Amino acid sequence: MSFRRWIFTPLLAVAAFAATATGVASQQTGTVTGRIIDAATQQPLPGAQIVVVGTTLGTLTNQEGRFLIPNVPSGARQIRAVLLGYGQEVQDVNVPAGGTAVVDFELATSAIELEGLVVSTITGEAQRARELGTNVGKIDVSSDIEATAVQTVSNVLGGRTEGVIVGNTGGAAGAGTRIRIRGANSINLSNEPLVFVDGVQISTSTRALGVGGEDPSRLNDINPGDIESIDVIKGPAATGIYGTQAANGVILITTKRGQAGTTRWNAYAELGQTEDFTDYEGMFGSYTQLGDGTEPFFDPNTGSFNSTAWDRCPNRLAAEGDCTQDTFATFNTALDGRTTMYSTGNAQRYGLNVTGGNDRVTYYLSGEHYDETGVFDWNRNNRYNLRGNLNARITDNFDFSLSTGYVYSDLQLNSNDNSIF
């Protein structure tokens, strides 16, 4: 008997302690229950997530919209209700120790932003950007930069999406740009990306003769005011859709379409000047006298250099002892109004577009004239742009879409840079 009492006594003590601990725990926690319904229809919302804020406690509502969360720490708590397509709601509740707190929710529907689609202009296949397998940068031109004074499409691309570098080929009016997506891929092949405008591939560069490195860019012939958005496909995975020519990336340009409603007109004008404020250094020349030194450098009768009284004596000949540098002369062609090649350039832009339509037909029409003269009189860029986009729903099963554009560009570049001439 004594042996059995020695065995059962500790067991009874443990059981008593457990019962006491359970009673204490039940007094420190409580239960939260309630129901979640649609605020508009008053119907139950099954599958809603209920969470006790600041804890890992939570559950989902059943088919009747009811929920039950046990073992919630007593005291003031916050209960959050979340369901896809509805706005989340948080309520404060006081959980009694050993008791039950009731909290009901009425959730209102809320619009959610769906993941954008990327439509391949070649295959016509629509894919989510997440499923495309490559990085796509999107520039919403109509809302992001419509109010800014951008002059070319290259200005739109520069600095507005990561991985895209836009560099000018020169400073003359109408000079083109070089576009690099994630750097250069080849040392002897073209590194320019493919460019599509409303699904039609365009040429981005044109080789010019005798103007050095300042090549024109056909991409800048497009009126930036006609662009709705630009998608930049950066990864080499674009070759799976567009072929090996897309190894340098792809730029997809979508122009504006008509919007149903009252006809809306938009006119704009832009004027400006271009000046060269560079402080050029003068050019020096050294001369040796042939006469008594009193004769002028320029013959007053002919206005040309007086070669009978003076002769040029460059440093090389002076170092070899072939001549003596008797005097020096300086000349700055940028400051001499008789011989300077610089002038004040000007730029002007005028445009007009209209959009409108109804639930059956929508249209967008635009026209623009851009004229720029650089700091050289013969450096000019004269361009006309016309565009018309039409969408029509002929029947419930037949839609018609027309996109057309016309560009006239007259560009005059001067010989400069590394020109062999």
Side-chain angles (χ1 to χ4, degrees), residues 83-297:
L83 181 61
L84 184 64
Y86 291 82
Q88 68 174 354
E89 184 177 344
V90 179
Q91 291 192 26
D92 296 326
V93 64
N94 188 17
V95 181
T100 300
V102 179
V103 54
D104 297 326
F105 293 89
E106 292 187 6
L107 300 185
T109 57
S110 176
I112 58 176
E113 183 177 355
L114 300 178
E115 187 177 16
L117 297 179
V118 176
V119 179
S120 168
T121 57
I122 291 182
T123 64
E125 179 183 1
Q127 287 181 294
R128 290 184 176 87
R130 181 184 303 173
E131 301 170 354
L132 192 59
T134 185
N135 186 13
V136 178
K138 187 175 183 64
I139 304 175
D140 190 356
V141 180
S142 60
S143 61
D144 292 347
I145 60 175
E146 192 175 37
T148 60
V150 294
Q151 297 180 352
T152 63
V153 178
S154 300
N155 297 144
V156 178
L157 291 171
R160 288 185 170 87
T161 181
E162 65 277 2
V164 178
I165 300 176
V166 179
N168 294 324
T169 62
T177 55
R178 294 187 179 95
I179 302 175
R180 299 293 180 265
I181 299 178
R182 292 183 173 178
N185 297 321
S186 175
I187 60 175
N188 58 352
L189 299 177
S190 174
N191 288 285
E192 293 293 326
L194 293 183
V195 179
F196 293 86
V197 178
D198 290 336
V200 179
Q201 183 178 356
I202 67 171
S203 174
T204 58
S205 62
T206 301
R207 181 63 61 181
L209 178 64
V211 295
E214 292 191 350
D215 291 333
S217 173
R218 303 315 306 269
L219 180 63
N220 290 337
D221 286 343
I222 303 174
N223 178 13
D226 290 338
I227 299 177
E228 179 72 23
S229 63
I230 300 177
D231 292 320
V232 182
I233 304 180
K234 307 171 186 178
T239 58
I241 300 177
Y242 299 92
T244 56
Q245 289 184 332
N248 300 318
V250 178
I251 297 176
L252 305 177
I253 298 177
T254 303
T255 59
K256 294 180 179 179
R257 317 300 296 188
Q259 298 180 359
T262 305
T263 301
R264 292 175 294 276
W265 295 84
N266 179 37
Y268 55 91
E270 176 184 335
L271 300 173
Q273 287 188 341
T274 305
E275 296 186 37
D276 186 4
F277 290 98
T278 305
D279 186 13
Y280 293 97
E281 297 292 337
M283 297 177 292
F284 292 88
S286 54
Y287 302 88
T288 182
Q289 61 184 16
L290 301 179
D292 57 6
T294 61
E295 294 87 349
F297 277 103

Side-chain angles (χ1 to χ4, degrees), residues 9 11 38 63 80 126 151 157 159 175 181 339 366 368 381 419:
T9 300
L11 294 177
D38 188 301
Q63 293 298 323
R80 178 186 292 120
Q151 297 180 352
L157 291 171
I181 299 178
T339 59
S366 73
E368 183 186 77
N381 183 20
S419 172

